[in-house]
């Protein structure tokens, strides 16, 4: 378990559970949190005792996405940054990842799901990819993965408008597998994780590699291209205005751009 980074990591019956655990900030993700989870995933991939990873949040929240102050501190974008290491780790993880999602699942809180294998969401989950609202662009290869899953028009609607959507819409878009009640989403996800953990591990890894195989290279290239554009945008005036407005809880003014 990490000592100061607000992540809870436990292992039970060959399932490693990783929980974002910064509830006072809606589990907004800092570079430390990305780094700790990237390290945990890399260790889990190399550990024969771990068969499956389950990723979740806290009682009322999956994650409100990247920490807004972190955007302003320029701590995103370059390839060595922990967020990039996290995105690489989820894209290349060889064993099954199950997610249990509830409450806000914003920004990377939605786009990380596109890399997971089975996602169970509480019926109250609120998803959004508000990149354009923040003067940013898609990340985590979502500009490639989402149109493939949801079709171009639905992907364009979700990315360009950046509005909230519910679990039913997420299911229709193929972003999640199942919807359960607020009481059930976590036990359902655990049941799936335990089922997977009991299966022959090599067979699971080979099957996942075959499912992901043809897109792995494109996903990596896409993340790199997105990362370069994201880095430019996050330092630009539109993002500065949008992020400052979000933090100051006021409407942004894009009329001058
Ligand atoms: N980064 C940093 N802090 C965040 C955050 C984020 N992404 N999301 C929420 N927080 C903080 C709030 O600033 C607040 O902190 P405070 O109590 O010190 O003021 C605390 O978490 C609770 O958030 P609050 O907005 O009061 O809760 P809410 O239930 O009304 O709304 C959200 C929850 C998640 C809908 C809302 O906080 C939100 O929209 N956050 C921004 C999400 C975002 O744009 N993420 C970036 C995606 S690219």
């Amino acid at each position: 378990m990490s000592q100061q980074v607000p992540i809870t990591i436990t292992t039970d019956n060959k399932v490693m559970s990783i929980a974002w655990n910064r509830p006072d900030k809606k589990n907004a993700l800092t570079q430390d949190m990305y780094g700790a989870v990237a390290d945990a995933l890399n260790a889990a991939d190399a550990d024969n005792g771990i068969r499956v990873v389950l990723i979740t949040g806290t009682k009322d929240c999956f994650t409100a996405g990247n920490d807004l102050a972190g955007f302003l501190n320029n701590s995103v974008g370059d390839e060595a940054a922990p967020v990039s290491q996290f995105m690489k780790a989820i894209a290349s993880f060889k064993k099954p990842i199950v997610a249990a999602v509830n409450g806000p699942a914003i920004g990377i809180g939605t786009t990380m799901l596109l890399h997971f294998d089975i996602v169970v969401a509480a019926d109250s989950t609120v998803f959004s990819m508000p990149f354009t609202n923040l003067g940013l662009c898609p990340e985590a290869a979502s500009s490639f993965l989402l149109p493939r899953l949801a079709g171009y028009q639905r992907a364009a609607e979700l990315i360009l408008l950046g509005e909230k959507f519910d679990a039913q819409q997420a299911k229709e878009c193929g972003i999640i597998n199942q919807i359960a009640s607020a009481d059930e989403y976590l036990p359902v996800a655990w049941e799936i994780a335990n089922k997977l953990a009991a299966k022959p591990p090599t067979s699971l890894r080979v099957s996942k590699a075959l499912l992901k195989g043809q897109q792995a290279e494109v996903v990596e290239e896409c993340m790199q291209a997105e990362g370069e554009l994201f880095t430019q945008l996050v330092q630009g005036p539109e993002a500065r205005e949008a992020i400052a407005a979000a933090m100051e809880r006021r409407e942004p003014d894009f009329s001058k751009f």
Side-chain angles (χ1 to χ4, degrees):
M1 192 179 313
S2 304
Q3 287 195 326
Q4 285 163 345
V5 183
I7 298 288
T8 304
I9 299 175
T10 54
T11 299
D12 185 23
N13 194 26
K14 298 185 171 149
V15 179
M16 177 187 273
S17 160
I18 301 177
W20 311 116
N21 192 4
R22 196 186 173 207
D24 55 322
K25 296 289 178 189
K26 300 285 170 187
N27 297 332
L29 302 177
T30 61
Q31 294 298 306
D32 282 354
M33 293 164 79
Y34 290 122
V37 173
D39 290 348
L41 287 172
N42 293 333
D45 234 357
D47 180 350
N48 284 336
I50 306 291
R51 301 265 173 105
V52 178
V53 165
L54 187 148
I55 298 189
T56 192
T58 44
K59 195 169 144 280
D60 301 315
C61 184
F62 184 56
T63 166
N66 199 89
D67 189 276
L68 288 169
F71 280 141
L72 287 179
N73 295 337
N74 282 337
S75 57
V76 283
D78 74 277
E79 249 194 279
V83 62
S84 306
Q85 298 304 315
F86 168 73
M87 290 195 277
K88 266 191 205 161
I90 56 172
S92 63
F93 195 69
K94 295 185 183 66
K95 301 172 186 180
I97 301 183
V98 177
V101 183
N102 64 325
I106 301 179
I108 198 165
T110 294
T111 58
M112 73 171 78
L113 305 178
L114 306 175
H115 296 273
F116 299 165
D117 303 292
I118 301 184
V119 180
V120 182
D123 49 15
S124 55
T125 310
V126 179
F127 302 84
S128 71
M129 291 172 281
F131 304 115
T132 60
N133 302 338
L134 292 170
L136 301 170
C137 67
E139 34 70 324
S142 53
S143 60
F144 169 72
L145 294 170
L146 193 62
R148 274 172 63 100
L149 267 182
Y152 178 80
Q153 270 78 10
R154 281 198 291 201
E157 184 181 341
L158 298 179
I159 296 276
L160 299 183
L161 282 175
E163 290 175 351
K164 295 174 187 164
F165 54 103
D166 65 15
Q168 191 55 45
Q169 285 169 286
K171 190 159 186 285
E172 283 160 15
C173 288
I175 297 171
I176 64 169
N177 297 75
Q178 281 193 45
I179 303 173
S181 69
D183 290 339
E184 285 298 313
Y185 77 98
L186 191 55
V188 168
W190 267 104
E191 194 182 326
I192 293 167
N194 284 326
K195 258 191 213 174
L196 288 166
K199 289 190 183 292
T202 308
S203 164
L204 275 182
R205 278 199 303 276
V206 168
S207 300
K208 176 164 173 169
L210 287 166
L211 283 165
K212 295 264 186 186
Q214 290 170 338
Q215 69 180 33
E217 211 172 306
V218 189
V219 163
E220 201 181 320
E221 283 168 13
C222 181
M223 278 187 186
Q224 210 167 343
E226 288 173 345
E228 284 166 19
L229 295 166
F230 197 100
T231 302
Q232 287 170 26
L233 287 171
V234 80
Q235 293 164 357
E238 295 177 7
R240 298 281 130 169
E241 164 61 10
I243 295 164
M247 292 177 71
E248 290 159 19
R249 297 178 191 259
R250 63 169 170 83
E251 283 301 311
D253 176 9
F254 300 123
S255 62
K256 52 186 179 282
F257 302 119

